[in-house]
Amino acid sequence: MQKDPDNWHSTIKLVMADITTLEVDAVVNAANNSLLGGGGVDGAIHSAAGPELLEECRGLCGCPTGEARITRGYGLPARFVIHTVGPIWSGGDNGEDDLLRNCYRNCFALAELHDIKTIAFPAISAGVYGFPMERACRIALREMMSYLEKKNVDVIAVCFSKRALWCYQVALQDF
Ligand code: ADP
């Protein structure tokens, strides 16, 4: 696809950080189907955003795996939280790759609707949900790159461990 010259400044940054500290338009939450909070990045986002986030999430009545929902960011520096539900790893032959791809695509679709220009993602499913980190990072990067071919946004791939950073760096070499 021909690149639009206006989009030349789009970037993907690999950043080691706690996603709740980032001053971006939107942070992505690796949530569960209830959207009512959990452990890992979900717990961190809810505790930094405060109880109003949980209240707004209650009104969403959950979210199927692979889909995404948007709320305000409340106590976070980010204006929005995009909640997506990654697949639970169960060996790799149960549609996990496609579901993970859908998470990124649906997050980007919401980002476009809300004119979000900077968006930070955790490594969805690669924590408690057990998706192999290298495979998750490869899928994430491919989806990020394909969105950036069309849109002028800055994407941050947040690495919460050295291993995540390493996996993203390895995945980058494939492009
Ligand atoms: P899932 O249930 O989708 O696997 P987790 O929250 O368990 O979600 O993990 C997803 C990824 O988010 C993991 O790589 C984990 O290390 C990372 N993570 C956990 N807490 C944070 C945080 N505060 N900021 C950024 N990433 C985080």
mmCIF file of all heavy atoms in Angstrom, residues 24 30 49 53 92 99 122 128-129 146 148 172:
data_model
loop_
_atom_site.group_PDB
_atom_site.id
_atom_site.type_symbol
_atom_site.label_atom_id
_atom_site.label_comp_id
_atom_site.label_asym_id
_atom_site.label_seq_id
_atom_site.Cartn_x
_atom_site.Cartn_y
_atom_site.Cartn_z
ATOM 1 N N VAL A 24 -0.693 9.548 27.711
ATOM 2 C CA VAL A 24 -1.081 9.244 26.332
ATOM 3 C C VAL A 24 -2.588 9.484 26.207
ATOM 4 O O VAL A 24 -3.278 9.646 27.215
ATOM 5 C CB VAL A 24 -0.761 7.772 25.983
ATOM 6 C CG1 VAL A 24 0.728 7.548 25.799
ATOM 7 C CG2 VAL A 24 -1.306 6.817 27.055
ATOM 8 N N ALA A 30 -5.636 -5.012 29.533
ATOM 9 C CA ALA A 30 -5.861 -6.443 29.284
ATOM 10 C C ALA A 30 -6.820 -6.929 30.369
ATOM 11 O O ALA A 30 -6.405 -7.344 31.444
ATOM 12 C CB ALA A 30 -4.530 -7.200 29.341
ATOM 13 N N ALA A 49 -6.827 4.423 38.417
ATOM 14 C CA ALA A 49 -7.931 5.243 37.874
ATOM 15 C C ALA A 49 -8.947 5.593 38.953
ATOM 16 O O ALA A 49 -9.570 6.655 38.895
ATOM 17 C CB ALA A 49 -8.615 4.494 36.733
ATOM 18 N N LEU A 53 -13.893 4.386 37.578
ATOM 19 C CA LEU A 53 -13.667 3.515 36.416
ATOM 20 C C LEU A 53 -14.502 2.238 36.558
ATOM 21 O O LEU A 53 -15.169 1.817 35.608
ATOM 22 C CB LEU A 53 -12.181 3.164 36.271
ATOM 23 C CG LEU A 53 -11.869 2.203 35.118
ATOM 24 C CD1 LEU A 53 -12.261 2.807 33.780
ATOM 25 C CD2 LEU A 53 -10.393 1.817 35.093
ATOM 26 N N GLY A 92 -2.771 -23.305 21.612
ATOM 27 C CA GLY A 92 -2.506 -22.613 20.345
ATOM 28 C C GLY A 92 -3.389 -23.051 19.188
ATOM 29 O O GLY A 92 -3.381 -22.415 18.135
ATOM 30 N N LEU A 99 -7.920 -14.513 17.899
ATOM 31 C CA LEU A 99 -8.571 -13.716 18.950
ATOM 32 C C LEU A 99 -7.652 -12.585 19.412
ATOM 33 O O LEU A 99 -8.101 -11.461 19.641
ATOM 34 C CB LEU A 99 -8.954 -14.609 20.134
ATOM 35 C CG LEU A 99 -10.160 -15.518 19.871
ATOM 36 C CD1 LEU A 99 -10.258 -16.602 20.947
ATOM 37 C CD2 LEU A 99 -11.456 -14.703 19.819
ATOM 38 N N PRO A 122 -0.303 -2.891 26.754
ATOM 39 C CA PRO A 122 0.486 -3.929 27.443
ATOM 40 C C PRO A 122 0.558 -5.141 26.519
ATOM 41 O O PRO A 122 -0.108 -5.162 25.477
ATOM 42 C CB PRO A 122 -0.377 -4.239 28.670
ATOM 43 C CG PRO A 122 -1.788 -4.051 28.175
ATOM 44 C CD PRO A 122 -1.730 -2.939 27.128
ATOM 45 N N VAL A 128 -1.040 -13.518 33.016
ATOM 46 C CA VAL A 128 -1.811 -14.597 33.646
ATOM 47 C C VAL A 128 -2.491 -15.493 32.597
ATOM 48 O O VAL A 128 -2.648 -16.698 32.803
ATOM 49 C CB VAL A 128 -2.869 -13.983 34.594
ATOM 50 C CG1 VAL A 128 -3.822 -15.047 35.128
ATOM 51 C CG2 VAL A 128 -2.184 -13.283 35.759
ATOM 52 N N TYR A 129 -2.876 -14.943 31.463
ATOM 53 C CA TYR A 129 -3.572 -15.731 30.443
ATOM 54 C C TYR A 129 -2.647 -16.675 29.671
ATOM 55 O O TYR A 129 -3.108 -17.471 28.853
ATOM 56 C CB TYR A 129 -4.356 -14.826 29.486
ATOM 57 C CG TYR A 129 -5.703 -14.383 30.041
ATOM 58 C CD1 TYR A 129 -6.078 -14.673 31.349
ATOM 59 C CD2 TYR A 129 -6.615 -13.677 29.247
ATOM 60 C CE1 TYR A 129 -7.307 -14.267 31.861
ATOM 61 C CE2 TYR A 129 -7.855 -13.277 29.751
ATOM 62 C CZ TYR A 129 -8.198 -13.575 31.055
ATOM 63 O OH TYR A 129 -9.418 -13.180 31.544
ATOM 64 N N SER A 146 0.528 -2.654 10.844
ATOM 65 C CA SER A 146 -0.428 -2.534 9.748
ATOM 66 C C SER A 146 -1.378 -1.354 10.000
ATOM 67 O O SER A 146 -1.792 -0.686 9.059
ATOM 68 C CB SER A 146 -1.110 -3.867 9.442
ATOM 69 O OG SER A 146 -2.307 -3.955 10.094
ATOM 70 N N LEU A 148 -0.401 1.429 11.524
ATOM 71 C CA LEU A 148 0.419 2.627 11.276
ATOM 72 C C LEU A 148 0.641 2.894 9.784
ATOM 73 O O LEU A 148 1.001 4.010 9.408
ATOM 74 C CB LEU A 148 1.782 2.505 11.968
ATOM 75 C CG LEU A 148 1.749 2.531 13.486
ATOM 76 C CD1 LEU A 148 3.143 2.698 14.041
ATOM 77 C CD2 LEU A 148 0.869 3.639 13.998
ATOM 78 N N LEU A 172 10.777 -7.503 16.197
ATOM 79 C CA LEU A 172 11.076 -6.377 15.293
ATOM 80 C C LEU A 172 12.010 -6.794 14.163
ATOM 81 O O LEU A 172 11.950 -6.267 13.050
ATOM 82 C CB LEU A 172 11.731 -5.243 16.065
ATOM 83 C CG LEU A 172 10.821 -4.111 16.522
ATOM 84 C CD1 LEU A 172 11.635 -3.116 17.340
ATOM 85 C CD2 LEU A 172 10.154 -3.419 15.351
#
